[in-house]
Amino acid sequence: MDEIVEQLLQLSANTSTLMAVYDADDRLRYANRAFRSAYFIQPDESPLWPDLMRRNFELGRGTVIHASNFEEWLRSTQSRRGKIGYRAFETDLADGRWLWMTEAVQKSGWMLCVASDITSLRAEERSVRQDRDLAIKASQTDELTGVANRRFVMARIEDMLVAAGDGGLGCLAVFDIDNFKHINDRLGHHAGDLVLRDFAQRIHQHVRRTDCFGRVGGEEFVLAMPGTSVEDAVEIIERMLMMVRFSRPLTESPDFSYTCSAGVAACLTADSAPELYRRADQALYAAKLSGRDRVRAA
């Protein structure tokens, strides 16, 4: 077996195909020479994917990112990256190359990325495919906050239930911004939108790559947490709520702050998505009744 692994590593090292492996925290654990050359990674480096993308964006190299605000692009991309077992898409590099990239994700969260150079394909066909990929992204993203939308995150809840049905763990958290109607009525809908964007940004900074966070409507968001116990989920969410508690998102009202409540439910055998959601929503209601700005478990 060791000999086979060694042969595979030698083959991948010498191929022009880009190959890389990321762990569940999205840290690069292996990359062949072609991948490191394309993304300007030193032989002794093992960067986190967001840090790598941020660095290359600032230096105008690596992946071409058509966005004026990098952090918004990053949040939107991370909302979908590594959330399904396999996906394929096209991407272009600043050096003019065009890549066909695939991502294969294990249950552990480790991900294999393989990219092939398809620059020779006709430019007009490339434009059509790029438009297709952008349309797919738009169909999976909440326009206001940039995180996953209801359709995408509900599909990930179904995936989590399938995995939990095979003997795994999983939790669903439902978030609701406290007194959001009062914020809209007192400060206006523009302020309400700023609060929603701030909330999505604050929470998403602490979402693990194996989890999926999205907005399902109004001021309500959900977080699917595969392979997670209720105790661990509550601990993670309590840290998230603390980050929200100290946020001051309105520059014109520097003293303004807001809070959020959350409910958590664990996946049960033969659970359905509506039933799991109902139990998490009941736990959220209990959090609201007990004073808001807290998390409760079903």
Side-chain angles (χ1 to χ4, degrees):
M1 180 61 71
D2 290 342
E3 182 180 352
I4 295 175
V5 172
E6 182 63 28
Q7 291 296 323
L8 286 173
L9 289 174
Q10 290 183 11
L11 288 169
S12 68
N14 296 321
T15 181
S16 61
T17 300
L18 283 64
M19 302 180 67
V21 176
Y22 290 87
D23 66 16
D25 294 322
D26 228 356
R27 182 174 295 279
L28 184 69
R29 290 301 189 94
Y30 169 79
N32 66 356
R33 282 195 293 268
F35 192 96
R36 289 184 179 273
S37 174
Y39 292 100
F40 300 88
I41 307 168
Q42 295 300 315
D44 58 344
E45 277 192 293
S46 297
L48 289 166
W49 180 82
D51 295 339
L52 173 62
M53 299 303 289
R54 184 179 290 107
R55 181 177 71 188
N56 284 342
F57 176 78
E58 292 172 352
L59 295 173
R61 64 191 190 186
T63 300
V64 174
I65 297 174
H66 301 284
S68 57
N69 187 313
F70 173 81
E71 297 303 328
E72 289 183 0
W73 175 88
L74 181 65
R75 184 163 61 251
S76 175
T77 303
Q78 285 183 301
S79 292
R80 295 169 295 111
R81 174 177 165 84
K83 309 304 182 188
I84 56 179
Y86 176 87
R87 73 168 182 149
F89 56 94
E90 297 180 28
T91 184
D92 50 339
L93 299 179
D95 62 14
R97 282 183 289 170
W98 194 264
L99 303 178
W100 171 258
M101 182 168 285
T102 63
E103 296 175 349
V105 186
Q106 293 183 319
K107 288 184 178 180
S108 64
W110 283 59
M111 180 166 68
L112 171 66
C113 298
V114 178
S116 302
D117 191 332
I118 57 171
T119 310
S120 60
L121 294 181
R122 294 171 59 184
E124 59 269 27
E125 294 175 355
R126 182 189 306 172
S127 177
V128 170
R129 293 192 306 275
Q130 187 177 39
D131 289 344
R132 175 206 60 198
D133 288 346
L134 289 172
I136 292 173
K137 177 181 178 180
S139 72
Q140 298 172 340
T141 305
D142 177 62
E143 184 177 3
L144 177 64
T145 63
V147 299
N149 63 12
R150 182 184 184 91
R151 176 187 301 177
F152 187 83
V153 74
M154 293 304 289
R156 303 292 74 76
I157 294 172
E158 295 284 1
D159 293 342
M160 178 176 67
L161 285 170
V162 171
D166 293 333
L169 297 172
C171 284
L172 176 66
V174 179
F175 298 85
D176 189 86
I177 297 174
D178 295 327
N179 300 309
F180 186 72
K181 183 179 184 303
H182 179 65
I183 295 173
N184 272 335
D185 292 343
R186 183 165 60 93
L187 300 174
H189 288 279
H190 174 68
D193 287 349
L194 291 176
V195 170
L196 290 171
R197 292 194 191 101
D198 179 79
F199 176 77
Q201 177 183 354
R202 299 280 173 183
I203 297 296
H204 195 267
Q205 288 175 348
H206 300 276
V207 173
R208 301 171 300 181
R209 223 245 349 258
T210 50
D211 299 342
C212 186
F213 174 66
R215 183 184 178 208
V216 295
E219 67 273 25
E220 192 166 295
F221 296 76
V222 299
L223 176 63
M225 309 174 76
T228 306
S229 67
V230 171
E231 293 78 13
D232 288 343
V234 169
E235 182 178 342
I236 291 168
I237 292 166
E238 283 179 340
R239 290 199 298 267
M240 291 176 170
L241 298 191
M242 182 177 65
M243 295 299 298
V244 171
R245 199 174 296 134
F246 289 101
S247 179
R248 301 293 182 270
L250 305 182
T251 55
E252 66 275 18
S253 302
D255 294 331
F256 170 83
S257 63
Y258 69 100
T259 60
C260 168
S261 301
V264 181
C267 299
L268 302 178
T269 304
D271 236 339
S272 66
E275 177 59 23
L276 177 63
Y277 198 103
R278 184 189 66 80
R279 294 201 311 278
D281 201 46
Q282 284 183 334
L284 169 65
Y285 185 64
K288 294 280 189 180
L289 286 180
S290 59
R292 299 187 178 90
D293 188 22
R294 63 201 64 200
V295 56
R296 289 288 182 268

